[in-house]
Amino acid sequence: MGVRVFLAGASGVVGLPLVKLLVGAGHQVTGMGRSPQSAKTMSALGADYVAVDVFDAEALAQAIVAARPDVIIHQLTDLPTRLDPSLMGEAALRNARIREEGTRNLVQGALSAGVRRMIAQSIAWAYAEGKPPYTERDPLDVDAQRTKPITMRGIIALETLVLSSPPLEGVVLRYGNFYGPDTGRDKPEGPSPLHVEAAAYAALCAVEHWQPGIFNIAEPRGEATSRKAMDALGWRADFRLAERTA
């Protein structure tokens, strides 16, 4: 039986394939973004669309109430086109604001609308240095020795808000290093690579096999192990969208 999903970041590199998966699985989707032009794309995919700024808490809360979702999925980022490395420094500041202020507004909007389930995007390459493979029980690099302090500040804020705002039930998907369509990377890269379509599939799995908590989402043999997601959510690292659209 399908559920109503409010998807923040619906037009992103993970959001677009996720819309396709959710609609194809029979779920009703309201995609949220900042560009009115995305309405045509969402309509073509069978989803509704609302243009609202995540930093406008009042407008966001109204949009969530109007959508009447059963679950909110937070896939918002503010990254440069094709993940241009020369622009990633500036993007870190914008992403930190989304993860702190934006997540807070989404959580407050969810609670005010009576929504009790949220799934949010985090990262799997932020663990404190130790002995891989890292599990969800391993500590994050709170001293930011392996990752930049700005990024860690945003990640910690996001995960705390999603997991510790009762009665909200939260799922945090710690994604690996993206590659695939529109990422600027055709092949696996980084310590814990992840195809963007497999990332989208993880969010679908979380909707359909609900279990609150933290899940690493990355390919095998990387630094972070995703065994928990495979066992509890039925996720597969080799999933590609063609399996559902052929």
Side-chain angles (χ1 to χ4, degrees), residues 106-120:
L106 279 169
V107 168
Q108 291 176 347
L111 294 175
S112 65
V115 183
R116 295 295 178 261
R117 292 182 171 183
M118 179 177 287
I119 299 166

Side-chain angles (χ1 to χ4, degrees), residues 1-230:
M1 182 177 179
V3 300
R4 301 174 69 94
V5 177
F6 186 90
L7 174 54
S11 59
V13 295
V14 177
L16 279 174
L18 179 53
V19 171
K20 296 175 184 178
L21 288 172
L22 288 166
V23 172
H27 304 296
Q28 185 172 337
V29 179
T30 297
M32 183 206 111
R34 293 174 296 181
S35 171
Q37 289 75 24
S38 296
K40 292 183 179 179
T41 301
M42 292 297 111
S43 179
L45 295 176
D48 297 324
Y49 186 74
V50 57
V52 60
D53 191 329
V54 73
F55 301 121
D56 187 337
E58 183 176 353
L60 177 61
Q62 291 173 353
I64 293 172
V65 168
R68 297 183 293 111
D70 300 297
V71 59
I72 293 174
I73 303 180
H74 177 2
Q75 295 282 1
L76 285 169
T77 59
D78 194 345
L79 297 171
T81 302
R82 298 184 66 79
L83 304 182
D84 185 340
S86 67
L87 301 176
M88 291 300 286
E90 296 177 5
L93 289 169
R94 298 193 300 269
N95 269 336
R97 186 186 177 203
I98 285 176
R99 287 165 174 158
E100 294 179 75
E101 183 181 345
T103 303
R104 182 168 61 250
N105 289 344
L106 279 169
V107 168
Q108 291 176 347
L111 294 175
S112 65
V115 183
R116 295 295 178 261
R117 292 182 171 183
M118 179 177 287
I119 299 166
Q121 174 189 143
S122 185
I123 57 177
W125 35 271
Y127 287 103
E129 189 167 3
K131 184 178 181 180
Y134 300 113
T135 75
E136 294 82 356
R137 296 186 300 275
D138 287 312
L140 295 179
D141 188 16
V142 294
D143 295 325
Q145 297 301 313
R146 299 185 70 204
T147 56
K148 295 181 179 180
I150 292 171
T151 297
M152 285 309 307
R153 184 189 72 203
I155 288 300
I156 292 169
L158 178 148
E159 293 196 2
T160 300
L161 284 162
V162 172
L163 298 173
S164 303
S165 298
L168 188 71
E169 295 182 2
V171 173
V172 167
L173 301 177
R174 289 180 176 166
Y175 287 148
N177 309 90
F178 289 150
Y179 71 97
D182 299 317
T183 67
R185 301 170 180 170
D186 296 327
K187 298 179 180 180
E189 293 185 23
S192 295
L194 175 67
H195 195 280
V196 288
E197 292 174 5
Y201 182 57
L204 175 66
C205 290
V207 168
E208 297 188 334
H209 304 278
W210 186 262
Q211 184 173 318
I214 300 170
F215 298 90
N216 288 334
I217 306 295
E219 293 182 358
R221 295 176 295 282
E223 284 194 352
T225 176
S226 301
R227 175 51 56 189
K228 180 181 176 184
M230 296 175 187

